Amino acid sequence: MKWTRVLIIILCMSFATGIVSAQGAIEDLTVPFIRNANIRQTPDETATLLGVGARGQNFRVDGRNDNGRWLRGISQNGIVGWVINGTVNIPPSTINGIRIITTDAPFNLTPPDGASAPAQSNIPAPTSGLEVSVYSDVNMRGGPSTDYPRVGGVFGGKPLLVDGRSADSTWVRGANQTGEVGWVAVRFVNISASQLNGLPIIDANTPFALAVQTNAPTNAPVAPPVVAVGNTAPVRGFSYGGHIAGFNDTTFNWMRYAGMTWIKKQFRYFDGQNPNDVANTINQAHVAGFRIMIGLVGDKNDLTRDGYYGRYASFAAGVAGLGADAIEVWNEPNIDREWTTGDINPANYTQLLRQSFNAIKSVNSNTLVISAAPAPTGAENAFPGAVMNDDRYIRGMADAGAVNYMDCIGVHYNEGIMPPTATTGDPRVPSNYFTRYLPSMISVYSGTFRGARPLCFTELGYLTPEGYGGLPTNFSWASNVTLAQQADWVDGAVAYSRNSGRVRIVIIWNMNFSGGGDDPMGGYAIIRPDGSCPACDALAN
């Protein structure tokens, strides 16, 4: 661990070069962007957007604000403005050495070769691009081919701000809602032929110049610098964290403030993919000071292909070898959204789990293997062949010997409208169904496996429409849940789980997802649209 930390610090320092003034304050520091970043007129998320710094390009820093959250400088294409600390590769130890400036402090750095003079009034407004949506969860690549590394992803139904296409029109490049920029195969994109043909032809090296509007909150507490963690020891005791949509320092600060030590990211695996596509996600989490849980779910259409279980298991082993602290093997295999219709079978899933467990442990014994959490549902009679009730599904897993191939039993709890200690009183019919109440979820799941393994809640959350408006009909059961209740119940659920003695990890669903539609992920988010996080305050207290 000690040498790992030293190496990380050395690597980070190697990216930064700077000039120190006579008073000892750094006032000219050149660092690269580690992701596409908004450049704003003042150190404020709501300030005028002047342009975007492209990942990999340099940013010359001449100062910071008083808390170090914002840095001022000049981009490689001559834009002068403020960017959030965390969008550039700068060692935490260097931040305090940068001089503190005000928004009206004179800017004296010269523009880079080939850039126009840094006159903010003459900077053209970034173009708006073409907003489209994607049909399903899809990876974003560093270039127009699966040979390029994964650089992000877009959730099904969510927007993608597109700025160009490949020469053969099979890929488009764009930015998702969290500011990640990458290439997406056209077959996943809801785009017309005329729209596609109207896009300019670009390549992987073409600078991205669209104004990327993200929904990062602005009033998170400022956390001190953190030390990277690594996958060097078994996971023991009780801990908790959050499922995040995208990496940003504001979300990390809220999580640290709330006492969280885990990040969960879901990764959609496509047959034949390279595990190195997950390396950046794992490394970013560790450098930020968190353990990382990868929810590894494949494509249900690949499940019947010869040898697929083995290839999935091999990919999971590769992810473990990269240092993942925990891997959840698939997601909600008891519904046909994630498993083949008409073939929902816990014995088949257990075979996938067995191969994955053995492959993971052969590479990294410290990686925690979590069985896929079923969808909490009792709707199998209404949807025959498409759904299996979760209690019956986990009994089938137990009968197939799944306990021998897991470190932790995956559980989802996301339909609660009662306090976390309640065991009766839910107004829905039937009111006594066990998934309505947290205590009965813990009792049923732990009891089915006779307490042989602890529980890991890979999703635990409460839905509230407050701040978002109404909810879709399918989620109207949560219409009366208030933001104050969400905060109180999240805090209470973590405490109840810890005190039960049967839960090892709780992952809060979710931290910072946005939007609504048929799946109101934003309503579950504990960081709300106004940037507040009442649940974080409750957990911190």
Side-chain angles (χ1 to χ4, degrees):
M1 170 71 84
K2 182 183 296 182
W3 287 110
T4 300
R5 291 176 181 172
V6 171
L7 179 59
I8 290 171
I9 292 172
I10 292 173
L11 288 173
C12 289
M13 292 180 68
S14 69
F15 284 108
T17 58
I19 297 173
V20 180
S21 70
Q23 290 76 30
I26 300 172
E27 55 188 35
D28 185 356
L29 177 73
T30 300
V31 291
F33 285 105
I34 59 176
R35 62 182 174 87
N36 291 288
N38 289 330
I39 303 174
R40 297 195 178 271
Q41 193 166 34
T42 60
D44 186 333
E45 283 278 356
T46 62
T48 300
L49 183 66
L50 304 175
V52 174
R55 186 177 63 175
Q57 291 186 347
N58 284 333
F59 187 68
R60 288 181 65 191
V61 178
D62 80 322
R64 64 176 176 94
N65 69 342
D66 56 357
N67 62 20
R69 184 169 180 267
W70 289 83
L71 306 170
R72 191 184 70 174
I74 184 169
S75 69
Q76 199 164 309
N77 55 350
I79 300 175
V80 175
W82 295 78
V83 300
I84 293 178
N85 175 19
T87 62
V88 292
N89 192 345
I90 182 170
S93 58
T94 304
I95 297 298
N96 291 335
I98 299 173
R99 64 170 183 159
I100 298 174
I101 59 174
T102 59
T103 56
D104 57 356
F107 185 84
N108 298 316
L109 299 183
T110 58
D113 292 341
S116 59
Q120 292 182 356
S121 60
N122 296 325
I123 295 170
T127 56
S128 59
L130 171 68
E131 185 171 297
V132 295
S133 61
V134 296
Y135 294 116
S136 62
D137 297 354
V138 62
N139 290 323
M140 303 171 74
R141 299 280 178 177
S145 165
T146 55
D147 293 335
Y148 286 89
R150 181 183 183 275
V151 294
V154 191
F155 286 96
K158 297 303 176 182
L160 181 71
L161 188 63
V162 176
D163 76 329
R165 60 184 169 96
S166 60
D168 61 2
S169 296
T170 60
W171 292 76
V172 293
R173 187 180 68 176
N176 65 13
Q177 286 183 300
T178 62
E180 295 172 331
V181 175
W183 293 77
V184 174
V186 167
R187 67 181 184 274
F188 295 104
V189 180
N190 184 7
I191 186 171
S192 68
S194 60
Q195 288 175 320
L196 181 63
N197 293 332
L199 292 171
I201 295 175
I202 59 175
D203 60 32
N205 297 317
T206 303
F208 186 83
L210 300 184
V212 183
Q213 301 287 356
T214 62
N215 296 319
T218 61
N219 58 351
V222 176
V226 296
V227 178
V229 300
N231 181 267
T232 58
V235 179
R236 296 192 175 96
F238 175 83
S239 50
Y240 61 101
H243 191 148
I244 68 174
F247 289 81
N248 63 72
D249 283 351
T250 306
T251 299
F252 290 163
N253 286 347
W254 271 125
M255 295 175 73
R256 296 181 190 116
Y257 168 72
M260 300 181 191
T261 57
W262 282 91
I263 285 172
K264 180 186 175 185
K265 283 284 285 182
Q266 190 171 87
F267 186 88
R268 180 72 65 171
Y269 164 71
F270 293 98
D271 201 7
Q273 203 162 358
N274 191 313
N276 287 329
D277 290 347
V278 195
N280 191 47
T281 297
I282 295 171
N283 293 338
Q284 285 186 77
H286 285 167
V287 170
F290 294 91
R291 286 189 180 268
I292 178 73
M293 178 188 297
I294 299 295
L296 188 59
V297 56
D299 187 334
K300 67 177 183 178
N301 297 313
D302 290 334
L303 285 165
T304 56
R305 298 176 66 180
D306 289 343
Y308 177 77
Y309 286 13
R311 293 191 296 276
Y312 173 95
S314 177
F315 184 90
V319 174
L322 292 169
D325 298 281
I327 297 175
E328 183 179 11
V329 180
W330 214 265
N331 175 66
E332 298 189 341
N334 64 322
I335 58 175
D336 69 353
R337 184 179 62 200
E338 300 285 25
W339 202 269
T340 310
T341 306
D343 190 39
I344 295 174
N345 186 322
N348 288 348
Y349 168 73
T350 299
Q351 289 303 310
L352 176 67
L353 179 64
R354 176 184 63 80
Q355 293 188 40
S356 300
F357 178 87
N358 290 335
I360 290 168
K361 293 300 183 180
S362 71
V363 172
N364 192 337
S365 61
N366 290 328
T367 297
L368 198 70
V369 178
I370 306 172
S371 63
T377 179
E380 64 179 30
N381 291 332
F383 303 99
V387 173
M388 181 181 288
N389 291 355
D390 56 323
D391 56 344
R392 196 161 75 87
Y393 193 88
I394 60 173
R395 284 199 302 272
M397 288 175 56
D399 292 343
V403 73
N404 299 307
Y405 311 115
M406 65 171 81
D407 297 306
C408 202
I409 305 161
V411 192
H412 282 178
Y413 178 70
N414 49 29
E415 61 173 17
I417 56 173
M418 300 291 292
T421 56
T423 56
T424 60
D426 193 298
R428 290 168 290 184
V429 178
S431 65
N432 61 345
Y433 195 69
F434 82 99
T435 62
R436 311 287 198 213
Y437 310 101
L438 181 61
S440 56
M441 285 288 284
I442 293 176
S443 178
V444 169
Y445 274 73
S446 182
T448 299
F449 291 93
R450 300 185 178 183
R453 295 290 184 272
L455 307 183
C456 286
F457 280 90
T458 57
E459 285 186 15
L460 188 154
Y462 295 89
L463 174 61
T464 173
E466 192 169 328
Y468 277 96
L471 293 173
T473 302
N474 291 343
F475 292 86
S476 60
W477 44 266
S479 295
N480 295 323
V481 176
T482 67
L483 184 57
Q485 287 174 322
Q486 183 198 56
D488 184 53
W489 294 350
V490 165
D491 179 43
V494 170
Y496 186 90
S497 298
R498 179 189 62 231
N499 295 335
S500 73
R502 291 181 281 184
V503 178
R504 175 172 289 183
I505 298 173
V506 169
I507 299 294
I508 295 167
W509 171 254
N510 60 74
M511 292 302 302
N512 61 347
F513 283 68
S514 62
D518 293 336
D519 188 357
M521 295 184 290
Y524 280 99
I526 61 174
I527 298 177
R528 305 306 289 181
D530 64 358
S532 66
C533 185
C536 297
D537 291 328
L539 288 164
N541 292 330

